[in-house]
Amino acid sequence: MSRAALRGSALVAASAAGFGLMPVFARYAYSAGLTVSTLLFLRFALAAALLFGYLAIRRRLPRRVTARQVGALLLLGAVLYALQSLFYFSAVEHISPALAVLLLYLYPAFVLLLSSALGRHRPPLAGVGAILLSLAGMALVLGRPSAALSLVGVLYAVGAAVVYAIYIVVGDRASAGLPPMTTSAFVALFAGTSFLVVGTGTDALRFGFPTSAWLPIFGVAVVSTVVAIGAFFAGMAVIGPTRASIMSMVEPVVSIGAAWLLLGEAMTPLQVLGGAVVLAGAIWGVTGAAAGTLAEPGVPAPPAYGPGTEGNAVRTPVRAVPAPADVPDQARRNPSPTDR
């Protein structure tokens, strides 16, 4: 492997690690008294400020944004990405960060199902195999129903995967036509505005938290959003979207390890096996789509980066500002580190 490829791989791995730490940072923030809405508002507000600051310093701010572009960005940021983040961070309140991130990685299966439904064609057999493999892994991860497992948390995590898949497919069709980093900045801005408006209206914003809570807040906003997004796009520009998307699946491994080391939340051997099966299905879906075996002409393949979220445009995540997520088709056309 060349030195440039090693550097690109290291950047993508660092990005995945940043996204993987996000649910652990969230747990620390919750223990400090933050609500989900407060944490997400601060995450997106700080991320938007840093991303727009970066664009201004690099003189990459768009000179003109059309009404159509604003409409697409509002849909992606204020509605879909905000909803996906709300579901994902709510899941982390109820279930282990490791379980939440593994369930989020069902999104490639949902992308394929949704794309096939919109294209009015049957998914290819290889695609069905990838979906069934992911679902089998989910069954192993969840195991037998028990009182210790929060059904609400599981539903939130699966809901996050579904909304993330919708975000990807809609983003592929309603691309704002802006560079990835610019898209990420606007998605973060509109998602933060959404949480500000809804949080104010529902009295869900609480700012009376201790000063120590700013450490996990900055962890979520800076390490797991801005730095993770920038590292992903910089690495993807070197090694390409397919290899970057596969390497991004280090994210749940980091989440599982961090939850075990920092939170004392270990997974059972059966859950570890199920997690490996879920990731195998996701990798099959991504590589098959890249090779043209899963995706039909005109059907968007899974994004070149994972979620948290957050995230495409934001994660551009989710992993999600986890590009979570950036517009996948746009990132494949122009895999430059402009924005994730």
Side-chain angles (χ1 to χ4, degrees):
M1 185 180 293
S2 67
R3 185 174 299 179
L6 283 173
R7 185 179 70 252
S9 299
L11 285 168
V12 173
S15 169
F19 288 129
L21 289 172
M22 184 162 55
V24 177
F25 286 137
R27 274 293 187 86
Y28 280 120
Y30 298 152
S31 66
L34 271 79
T35 64
V36 174
S37 295
T38 305
L39 178 59
L40 287 173
F41 164 67
L42 292 173
R43 175 202 180 190
F44 288 122
L46 290 171
L50 291 172
L51 289 169
F52 276 112
Y54 167 81
L55 293 173
I57 292 172
R58 298 297 298 271
R59 297 182 179 179
R60 293 180 179 177
L61 286 172
R63 296 182 179 179
R64 178 174 175 269
V65 180
T66 66
R68 177 189 172 280
Q69 289 173 325
V70 171
L73 292 167
L74 278 170
L75 175 61
L76 293 173
V79 180
L80 294 176
Y81 202 72
L83 188 60
Q84 186 272 343
S85 298
L86 178 63
F87 283 171
Y88 182 58
F89 276 72
S90 296
V92 174
E93 264 195 317
H94 297 278
I95 59 177
S96 163
L99 180 56
V101 73
L102 284 174
L103 292 176
L104 179 64
Y105 266 80
L106 292 171
Y107 77 89
F110 293 134
V111 167
L112 181 58
L113 289 174
L114 184 57
S115 298
S116 298
L118 292 177
R120 296 183 180 181
H121 62 78
R122 293 181 181 178
L125 290 179
V128 173
I131 292 171
L132 293 177
L133 189 62
S134 294
L135 294 178
M138 182 183 71
L140 291 174
V141 168
L142 296 180
R144 295 181 180 179
S146 66
L149 183 63
S150 169
L151 178 61
V152 172
V154 170
L155 291 176
Y156 270 133
V158 175
V162 172
V163 176
Y164 191 44
I166 295 172
Y167 171 90
I168 290 167
V169 174
V170 170
D172 195 60
R173 288 162 168 74
S175 171
L178 296 171
M181 208 71 173
T182 306
T183 301
S184 293
F186 277 107
V187 167
L189 174 64
F190 290 140
T193 303
S194 179
F195 282 108
L196 176 62
V197 172
V198 174
T200 302
T202 59
D203 198 29
L205 297 179
R206 300 280 190 277
F207 297 104
F209 49 82
T211 305
S212 59
W214 281 104
L215 185 59
I217 290 171
F218 279 113
V220 169
V222 180
V223 176
S224 297
T225 301
V226 176
V227 173
I229 287 171
F232 178 86
F233 278 112
M236 185 176 68
V238 178
I239 65 175
T242 301
R243 287 178 61 188
S245 66
I246 295 172
M247 288 199 63
S248 290
M249 291 179 187
V250 172
E251 175 186 345
V253 177
V254 173
S255 294
I256 292 169
W260 173 52
L261 290 173
L262 302 177
L263 303 176
E265 298 181 355
M267 296 180 68
T268 67
L270 189 62
Q271 287 178 320
V272 172
L273 174 61
V277 174
V278 169
L279 293 181
I283 291 172
W284 189 1
V286 171
T287 54
T293 59
L294 300 189
E296 305 251 339
V299 177
Y305 24 77
T309 159
E310 249 204 13
N312 258 2
V314 172
R315 208 176 125 54
T316 260
V318 171
R319 233 94 115 233
V321 202
D326 216 314
V327 180
D329 184 57
Q330 181 183 359
R332 290 195 300 272
R333 290 194 304 265
N334 182 24
S336 65
T338 5
D339 156 57
R340 181 199 176 177

